[in-house]
mmCIF file of all heavy atoms in Angstrom:
data_model
loop_
_atom_site.group_PDB
_atom_site.id
_atom_site.type_symbol
_atom_site.label_atom_id
_atom_site.label_comp_id
_atom_site.label_asym_id
_atom_site.label_seq_id
_atom_site.Cartn_x
_atom_site.Cartn_y
_atom_site.Cartn_z
ATOM 1 N N SER A 268 0.855 -1.203 -0.013
ATOM 2 C CA SER A 268 0.006 -0.013 -0.038
ATOM 3 C C SER A 268 0.874 1.284 -0.012
ATOM 4 O O SER A 268 0.609 2.259 -0.691
ATOM 5 C CB SER A 268 -0.905 0.032 1.218
ATOM 6 O OG SER A 268 -1.655 1.201 1.320
ATOM 7 N N ARG A 269 1.944 1.195 0.824
ATOM 8 C CA ARG A 269 2.882 2.380 0.832
ATOM 9 C C ARG A 269 3.463 2.638 -0.442
ATOM 10 O O ARG A 269 3.609 3.799 -0.927
ATOM 11 C CB ARG A 269 3.939 2.130 1.941
ATOM 12 C CG ARG A 269 4.762 3.321 2.240
ATOM 13 C CD ARG A 269 5.780 3.037 3.249
ATOM 14 N NE ARG A 269 5.104 2.534 4.541
ATOM 15 C CZ ARG A 269 5.789 1.998 5.493
ATOM 16 N NH1 ARG A 269 7.120 1.881 5.486
ATOM 17 N NH2 ARG A 269 5.101 1.660 6.602
ATOM 18 N N ARG A 270 3.926 1.554 -1.155
ATOM 19 C CA ARG A 270 4.584 1.751 -2.462
ATOM 20 C C ARG A 270 3.572 2.319 -3.474
ATOM 21 O O ARG A 270 3.962 3.147 -4.270
ATOM 22 C CB ARG A 270 5.179 0.420 -2.929
ATOM 23 C CG ARG A 270 6.381 -0.104 -2.232
ATOM 24 C CD ARG A 270 7.117 -1.217 -3.011
ATOM 25 N NE ARG A 270 6.174 -2.260 -3.314
ATOM 26 C CZ ARG A 270 6.028 -3.308 -2.483
ATOM 27 N NH1 ARG A 270 6.698 -3.363 -1.282
ATOM 28 N NH2 ARG A 270 5.231 -4.337 -2.743
ATOM 29 N N GLN A 271 2.374 1.796 -3.453
ATOM 30 C CA GLN A 271 1.347 2.328 -4.382
ATOM 31 C C GLN A 271 1.036 3.775 -4.063
ATOM 32 O O GLN A 271 0.928 4.573 -4.975
ATOM 33 C CB GLN A 271 0.071 1.500 -4.281
ATOM 34 C CG GLN A 271 0.183 0.081 -4.925
ATOM 35 C CD GLN A 271 -1.098 -0.645 -4.877
ATOM 36 O OE1 GLN A 271 -1.873 -0.463 -3.889
ATOM 37 N NE2 GLN A 271 -1.360 -1.468 -5.816
ATOM 38 N N ARG A 272 0.942 4.161 -2.884
ATOM 39 C CA ARG A 272 0.641 5.519 -2.504
ATOM 40 C C ARG A 272 1.768 6.437 -2.883
ATOM 41 O O ARG A 272 1.490 7.524 -3.545
ATOM 42 C CB ARG A 272 0.494 5.638 -0.919
ATOM 43 C CG ARG A 272 0.062 7.039 -0.523
ATOM 44 C CD ARG A 272 -0.105 7.154 0.991
ATOM 45 N NE ARG A 272 1.101 6.912 1.696
ATOM 46 C CZ ARG A 272 1.342 5.821 2.401
ATOM 47 N NH1 ARG A 272 0.334 4.916 2.521
ATOM 48 N NH2 ARG A 272 2.464 5.662 3.052
ATOM 49 N N ASP A 273 3.028 6.018 -2.715
ATOM 50 C CA ASP A 273 4.134 6.860 -3.226
ATOM 51 C C ASP A 273 4.112 7.073 -4.718
ATOM 52 O O ASP A 273 4.424 8.130 -5.288
ATOM 53 C CB ASP A 273 5.497 6.261 -2.744
ATOM 54 C CG ASP A 273 5.645 6.289 -1.261
ATOM 55 O OD1 ASP A 273 4.924 7.101 -0.646
ATOM 56 O OD2 ASP A 273 6.462 5.505 -0.791
ATOM 57 N N MET A 274 3.765 5.929 -5.445
ATOM 58 C CA MET A 274 3.756 6.053 -6.806
ATOM 59 C C MET A 274 2.616 6.920 -7.349
ATOM 60 O O MET A 274 2.835 7.743 -8.197
ATOM 61 C CB MET A 274 3.552 4.607 -7.446
ATOM 62 C CG MET A 274 3.493 4.486 -8.973
ATOM 63 S SD MET A 274 3.043 2.892 -9.563
ATOM 64 C CE MET A 274 1.394 2.632 -8.887
ATOM 65 N N TYR A 275 1.457 6.833 -6.675
ATOM 66 C CA TYR A 275 0.354 7.662 -7.115
ATOM 67 C C TYR A 275 0.592 9.168 -6.830
ATOM 68 O O TYR A 275 0.138 9.993 -7.613
ATOM 69 C CB TYR A 275 -0.920 7.173 -6.439
ATOM 70 C CG TYR A 275 -1.386 5.779 -6.779
ATOM 71 C CD1 TYR A 275 -2.097 5.000 -5.910
ATOM 72 C CD2 TYR A 275 -0.930 5.153 -8.048
ATOM 73 C CE1 TYR A 275 -2.402 3.610 -6.260
ATOM 74 C CE2 TYR A 275 -1.332 3.910 -8.406
ATOM 75 C CZ TYR A 275 -2.057 3.178 -7.431
ATOM 76 O OH TYR A 275 -2.352 1.890 -7.763
ATOM 77 N N VAL A 276 1.210 9.376 -5.698
ATOM 78 C CA VAL A 276 1.574 10.813 -5.338
ATOM 79 C C VAL A 276 2.459 11.420 -6.378
ATOM 80 O O VAL A 276 2.341 12.527 -6.881
ATOM 81 C CB VAL A 276 2.169 10.871 -3.962
ATOM 82 C CG1 VAL A 276 2.763 12.311 -3.697
ATOM 83 C CG2 VAL A 276 1.167 10.583 -2.927
ATOM 84 N N ASP A 277 3.458 10.601 -6.807
ATOM 85 C CA ASP A 277 4.404 11.053 -7.852
ATOM 86 C C ASP A 277 3.714 11.322 -9.186
ATOM 87 O O ASP A 277 3.925 12.253 -9.819
ATOM 88 C CB ASP A 277 5.535 9.976 -8.042
ATOM 89 C CG ASP A 277 6.563 10.403 -9.009
ATOM 90 O OD1 ASP A 277 7.253 11.423 -8.742
ATOM 91 O OD2 ASP A 277 6.698 9.708 -10.050
ATOM 92 N N ILE A 278 2.834 10.374 -9.536
ATOM 93 C CA ILE A 278 2.013 10.548 -10.817
ATOM 94 C C ILE A 278 1.248 11.785 -10.739
ATOM 95 O O ILE A 278 1.117 12.614 -11.640
ATOM 96 C CB ILE A 278 1.200 9.319 -11.088
ATOM 97 C CG1 ILE A 278 2.064 8.145 -11.387
ATOM 98 C CG2 ILE A 278 0.171 9.601 -12.221
ATOM 99 C CD1 ILE A 278 1.281 6.853 -11.558
ATOM 100 N N ASP A 279 0.580 12.007 -9.526
ATOM 101 C CA ASP A 279 -0.356 13.204 -9.427
ATOM 102 C C ASP A 279 0.451 14.515 -9.491
ATOM 103 O O ASP A 279 0.022 15.444 -10.173
ATOM 104 C CB ASP A 279 -1.023 13.081 -8.081
ATOM 105 C CG ASP A 279 -2.020 14.259 -7.927
ATOM 106 O OD1 ASP A 279 -2.952 14.316 -8.672
ATOM 107 O OD2 ASP A 279 -1.856 15.018 -6.971
ATOM 108 N N SER A 280 1.667 14.517 -8.904
ATOM 109 C CA SER A 280 2.422 15.767 -8.930
ATOM 110 C C SER A 280 2.944 16.017 -10.397
ATOM 111 O O SER A 280 2.926 17.150 -10.812
ATOM 112 C CB SER A 280 3.619 15.613 -8.060
ATOM 113 O OG SER A 280 4.539 14.616 -8.433
ATOM 114 N N ARG A 281 3.239 14.959 -11.109
ATOM 115 C CA ARG A 281 3.630 15.115 -12.466
ATOM 116 C C ARG A 281 2.471 15.624 -13.369
ATOM 117 O O ARG A 281 2.731 16.559 -14.234
ATOM 118 C CB ARG A 281 4.178 13.870 -13.096
ATOM 119 C CG ARG A 281 5.451 13.407 -12.358
ATOM 120 C CD ARG A 281 6.066 12.190 -13.094
ATOM 121 N NE ARG A 281 7.208 11.680 -12.345
ATOM 122 C CZ ARG A 281 8.180 11.045 -12.950
ATOM 123 N NH1 ARG A 281 8.157 10.732 -14.191
ATOM 124 N NH2 ARG A 281 9.202 10.530 -12.175
ATOM 125 N N LEU A 282 1.363 15.152 -13.136
ATOM 126 C CA LEU A 282 0.153 15.642 -13.876
ATOM 127 C C LEU A 282 -0.143 17.101 -13.589
ATOM 128 O O LEU A 282 -0.455 17.835 -14.538
ATOM 129 C CB LEU A 282 -0.981 14.801 -13.596
ATOM 130 C CG LEU A 282 -1.044 13.354 -14.156
ATOM 131 C CD1 LEU A 282 -2.239 12.508 -13.593
ATOM 132 C CD2 LEU A 282 -1.015 13.366 -15.626
ATOM 133 N N LYS A 283 0.003 17.454 -12.362
ATOM 134 C CA LYS A 283 -0.242 18.837 -11.998
ATOM 135 C C LYS A 283 0.734 19.832 -12.703
ATOM 136 O O LYS A 283 0.427 20.889 -13.153
ATOM 137 C CB LYS A 283 -0.160 19.049 -10.485
ATOM 138 C CG LYS A 283 -1.371 18.459 -9.750
ATOM 139 C CD LYS A 283 -1.294 18.707 -8.258
ATOM 140 C CE LYS A 283 -2.471 18.110 -7.551
ATOM 141 N NZ LYS A 283 -2.360 18.281 -6.068
ATOM 142 N N ARG A 284 2.012 19.358 -12.776
ATOM 143 C CA ARG A 284 3.021 20.220 -13.466
ATOM 144 C C ARG A 284 2.700 20.333 -14.932
ATOM 145 O O ARG A 284 2.896 21.428 -15.558
ATOM 146 C CB ARG A 284 4.345 19.614 -13.294
ATOM 147 C CG ARG A 284 4.946 19.757 -11.842
ATOM 148 C CD ARG A 284 6.490 19.526 -11.770
ATOM 149 N NE ARG A 284 6.829 18.190 -12.312
ATOM 150 C CZ ARG A 284 6.900 17.136 -11.476
ATOM 151 N NH1 ARG A 284 6.648 17.286 -10.210
ATOM 152 N NH2 ARG A 284 7.248 15.972 -11.957
ATOM 153 N N LEU A 285 2.206 19.240 -15.568
ATOM 154 C CA LEU A 285 1.870 19.297 -16.952
ATOM 155 C C LEU A 285 0.625 20.257 -17.209
ATOM 156 O O LEU A 285 0.551 20.809 -18.263
ATOM 157 C CB LEU A 285 1.541 17.912 -17.471
ATOM 158 C CG LEU A 285 2.773 16.986 -17.585
ATOM 159 C CD1 LEU A 285 2.250 15.584 -18.032
ATOM 160 C CD2 LEU A 285 3.725 17.509 -18.636
ATOM 161 N N GLU A 286 -0.275 20.267 -16.207
ATOM 162 C CA GLU A 286 -1.444 21.076 -16.389
ATOM 163 C C GLU A 286 -1.157 22.577 -16.291
ATOM 164 O O GLU A 286 -2.039 23.382 -16.670
ATOM 165 C CB GLU A 286 -2.580 20.668 -15.361
ATOM 166 C CG GLU A 286 -3.058 19.270 -15.566
ATOM 167 C CD GLU A 286 -3.924 18.704 -14.507
ATOM 168 O OE1 GLU A 286 -4.028 19.496 -13.473
ATOM 169 O OE2 GLU A 286 -4.473 17.639 -14.631
ATOM 170 N N GLN A 287 -0.132 22.914 -15.583
ATOM 171 C CA GLN A 287 0.202 24.369 -15.372
ATOM 172 C C GLN A 287 0.507 24.994 -16.747
ATOM 173 O O GLN A 287 1.142 24.339 -17.537
ATOM 174 C CB GLN A 287 1.412 24.501 -14.391
ATOM 175 C CG GLN A 287 1.049 24.111 -13.042
ATOM 176 C CD GLN A 287 2.316 24.195 -12.123
ATOM 177 O OE1 GLN A 287 3.373 24.415 -12.617
ATOM 178 N NE2 GLN A 287 2.128 23.945 -10.898
ATOM 179 N N PRO A 288 0.076 26.234 -16.966
ATOM 180 C CA PRO A 288 0.455 26.859 -18.269
ATOM 181 C C PRO A 288 1.893 26.936 -18.504
ATOM 182 O O PRO A 288 2.679 27.322 -17.706
ATOM 183 C CB PRO A 288 -0.117 28.325 -18.097
ATOM 184 C CG PRO A 288 -1.083 28.220 -16.888
ATOM 185 C CD PRO A 288 -0.657 27.126 -16.054
ATOM 186 N N ALA A 289 2.234 26.398 -19.580
ATOM 187 C CA ALA A 289 3.644 26.253 -19.899
ATOM 188 C C ALA A 289 4.309 27.634 -20.105
ATOM 189 O O ALA A 289 5.474 27.818 -19.910
ATOM 190 C CB ALA A 289 3.791 25.406 -21.251
ATOM 191 N N ALA A 290 3.516 28.615 -20.522
ATOM 192 C CA ALA A 290 4.168 29.906 -20.847
ATOM 193 C C ALA A 290 4.142 30.872 -19.668
ATOM 194 O O ALA A 290 4.592 31.975 -19.768
ATOM 195 C CB ALA A 290 3.390 30.552 -22.015
ATOM 196 N N ALA A 291 3.544 30.475 -18.564
ATOM 197 C CA ALA A 291 3.408 31.334 -17.433
ATOM 198 C C ALA A 291 4.795 31.786 -16.925
ATOM 199 O O ALA A 291 5.611 30.925 -16.603
ATOM 200 C CB ALA A 291 2.660 30.664 -16.328
ATOM 201 N N GLY A 292 4.956 33.068 -16.945
ATOM 202 C CA GLY A 292 6.282 33.632 -16.421
ATOM 203 C C GLY A 292 7.401 33.435 -17.365
ATOM 204 O O GLY A 292 8.598 33.792 -17.071
ATOM 205 N N ALA A 293 7.264 32.851 -18.601
ATOM 206 C CA ALA A 293 8.275 32.609 -19.517
ATOM 207 C C ALA A 293 8.422 33.786 -20.542
ATOM 208 O O ALA A 293 7.477 34.405 -20.791
ATOM 209 C CB ALA A 293 8.108 31.318 -20.251
ATOM 210 N N ALA A 294 9.576 33.924 -21.031
ATOM 211 C CA ALA A 294 9.775 35.013 -22.048
ATOM 212 C C ALA A 294 9.171 34.566 -23.324
ATOM 213 O O ALA A 294 8.990 33.388 -23.609
ATOM 214 C CB ALA A 294 11.273 35.233 -22.192
ATOM 215 N N PRO A 295 8.792 35.491 -24.196
ATOM 216 C CA PRO A 295 8.256 35.181 -25.553
ATOM 217 C C PRO A 295 9.237 34.277 -26.282
ATOM 218 O O PRO A 295 10.384 34.351 -26.091
ATOM 219 C CB PRO A 295 8.102 36.555 -26.175
ATOM 220 C CG PRO A 295 8.015 37.486 -25.064
ATOM 221 C CD PRO A 295 8.924 37.012 -23.999
ATOM 222 N N ALA A 296 8.606 33.561 -27.201
ATOM 223 C CA ALA A 296 9.435 32.564 -27.942
ATOM 224 C C ALA A 296 10.467 33.372 -28.784
ATOM 225 O O ALA A 296 10.238 34.382 -29.333
ATOM 226 C CB ALA A 296 8.525 31.776 -28.939
ATOM 227 N N GLY A 297 11.624 32.811 -28.703
ATOM 228 C CA GLY A 297 12.807 33.408 -29.473
ATOM 229 C C GLY A 297 13.594 34.415 -28.685
ATOM 230 O O GLY A 297 14.573 34.872 -29.153
ATOM 231 N N THR A 298 13.084 34.854 -27.452
ATOM 232 C CA THR A 298 13.807 35.824 -26.724
ATOM 233 C C THR A 298 14.869 35.148 -25.900
ATOM 234 O O THR A 298 14.572 34.175 -25.190
ATOM 235 C CB THR A 298 12.782 36.489 -25.754
ATOM 236 O OG1 THR A 298 11.776 37.086 -26.456
ATOM 237 C CG2 THR A 298 13.503 37.566 -24.928
ATOM 238 N N PRO A 299 16.115 35.571 -26.093
ATOM 239 C CA PRO A 299 17.197 34.904 -25.308
ATOM 240 C C PRO A 299 17.062 35.216 -23.840
ATOM 241 O O PRO A 299 16.569 36.304 -23.473
ATOM 242 C CB PRO A 299 18.508 35.581 -25.885
ATOM 243 C CG PRO A 299 18.001 36.841 -26.417
ATOM 244 C CD PRO A 299 16.582 36.734 -26.902
ATOM 245 N N PRO A 300 17.553 34.394 -22.958
ATOM 246 C CA PRO A 300 17.466 34.642 -21.528
ATOM 247 C C PRO A 300 18.307 35.879 -21.115
ATOM 248 O O PRO A 300 19.384 36.144 -21.818
ATOM 249 C CB PRO A 300 18.057 33.346 -20.863
ATOM 250 C CG PRO A 300 18.864 32.780 -22.026
ATOM 251 C CD PRO A 300 18.255 33.108 -23.272
ATOM 252 N N ALA A 301 17.914 36.617 -20.114
ATOM 253 C CA ALA A 301 18.623 37.786 -19.693
ATOM 254 C C ALA A 301 19.970 37.402 -19.089
ATOM 255 O O ALA A 301 20.076 36.226 -18.617
ATOM 256 C CB ALA A 301 17.771 38.520 -18.603
ATOM 257 N N ALA A 302 20.922 38.300 -19.293
ATOM 258 C CA ALA A 302 22.227 37.978 -18.729
ATOM 259 C C ALA A 302 22.150 37.750 -17.296
ATOM 260 O O ALA A 302 21.524 38.525 -16.513
ATOM 261 C CB ALA A 302 23.243 39.166 -19.046
ATOM 262 N N GLY A 303 22.812 36.704 -16.752
ATOM 263 C CA GLY A 303 22.907 36.412 -15.347
ATOM 264 C C GLY A 303 21.671 35.676 -14.877
ATOM 265 O O GLY A 303 21.597 35.453 -13.638
ATOM 266 N N ALA A 304 20.710 35.458 -15.709
ATOM 267 C CA ALA A 304 19.517 34.811 -15.261
ATOM 268 C C ALA A 304 19.781 33.351 -14.937
ATOM 269 O O ALA A 304 20.519 32.731 -15.590
ATOM 270 C CB ALA A 304 18.401 34.847 -16.334
ATOM 271 N N ALA A 305 19.168 32.893 -13.887
ATOM 272 C CA ALA A 305 19.372 31.471 -13.442
ATOM 273 C C ALA A 305 18.723 30.521 -14.436
ATOM 274 O O ALA A 305 17.610 30.825 -14.964
ATOM 275 C CB ALA A 305 18.796 31.298 -12.077
ATOM 276 N N PRO A 306 19.342 29.462 -14.782
ATOM 277 C CA PRO A 306 18.702 28.519 -15.679
ATOM 278 C C PRO A 306 17.501 27.915 -15.052
ATOM 279 O O PRO A 306 17.292 27.926 -13.840
ATOM 280 C CB PRO A 306 19.873 27.424 -15.790
ATOM 281 C CG PRO A 306 20.675 27.506 -14.538
ATOM 282 C CD PRO A 306 20.653 28.957 -14.204
ATOM 283 N N ALA A 307 16.563 27.435 -15.866
ATOM 284 C CA ALA A 307 15.330 26.810 -15.435
ATOM 285 C C ALA A 307 15.636 25.646 -14.486
ATOM 286 O O ALA A 307 16.590 24.884 -14.624
ATOM 287 C CB ALA A 307 14.523 26.274 -16.653
ATOM 288 N N ALA A 308 14.781 25.484 -13.554
ATOM 289 C CA ALA A 308 15.001 24.421 -12.572
ATOM 290 C C ALA A 308 14.914 23.063 -13.246
ATOM 291 O O ALA A 308 14.056 22.858 -14.156
ATOM 292 C CB ALA A 308 13.941 24.496 -11.465
ATOM 293 N N ALA A 309 15.737 22.198 -12.895
ATOM 294 C CA ALA A 309 15.734 20.846 -13.449
ATOM 295 C C ALA A 309 14.505 20.042 -12.943
ATOM 296 O O ALA A 309 13.917 20.474 -11.913
ATOM 297 C CB ALA A 309 17.033 20.100 -13.099
ATOM 298 N N ALA A 310 14.154 19.038 -13.667
ATOM 299 C CA ALA A 310 13.035 18.215 -13.219
ATOM 300 C C ALA A 310 13.321 17.685 -11.829
ATOM 301 O O ALA A 310 14.410 17.380 -11.531
ATOM 302 C CB ALA A 310 12.819 17.063 -14.213
ATOM 303 N N PRO A 311 12.363 17.578 -10.982
ATOM 304 C CA PRO A 311 12.516 17.123 -9.649
ATOM 305 C C PRO A 311 13.152 15.725 -9.690
ATOM 306 O O PRO A 311 12.870 14.869 -10.568
ATOM 307 C CB PRO A 311 11.110 16.967 -9.074
ATOM 308 C CG PRO A 311 10.321 17.980 -9.868
ATOM 309 C CD PRO A 311 10.947 17.945 -11.214
ATOM 310 N N ALA A 312 14.053 15.417 -8.737
ATOM 311 C CA ALA A 312 14.633 14.151 -8.597
ATOM 312 C C ALA A 312 13.665 13.089 -8.326
ATOM 313 O O ALA A 312 12.608 13.338 -7.770
ATOM 314 C CB ALA A 312 15.716 14.125 -7.516
#
């Protein structure tokens, strides 16, 4: 049960990330990142 719960929580979190607007807070297409800007966060471990 614990393994299934952990797996379902992980799946649910991934689905929520996919549902979020991909462009929210992102620069328009083709705009280079500002100097010194931090790179996008890597996918959660």
Side-chain angles (χ1 to χ4, degrees):
S268 175
R269 187 180 303 170
R270 288 196 303 272
Q271 287 183 327
R272 184 178 63 251
D273 292 342
M274 178 184 65
Y275 298 151
V276 169
D277 182 61
I278 291 174
D279 183 63
S280 63
R281 294 187 185 204
L282 288 175
K283 286 181 179 179
R284 287 197 301 271
L285 290 174
E286 291 170 356
Q287 292 174 354
T298 303

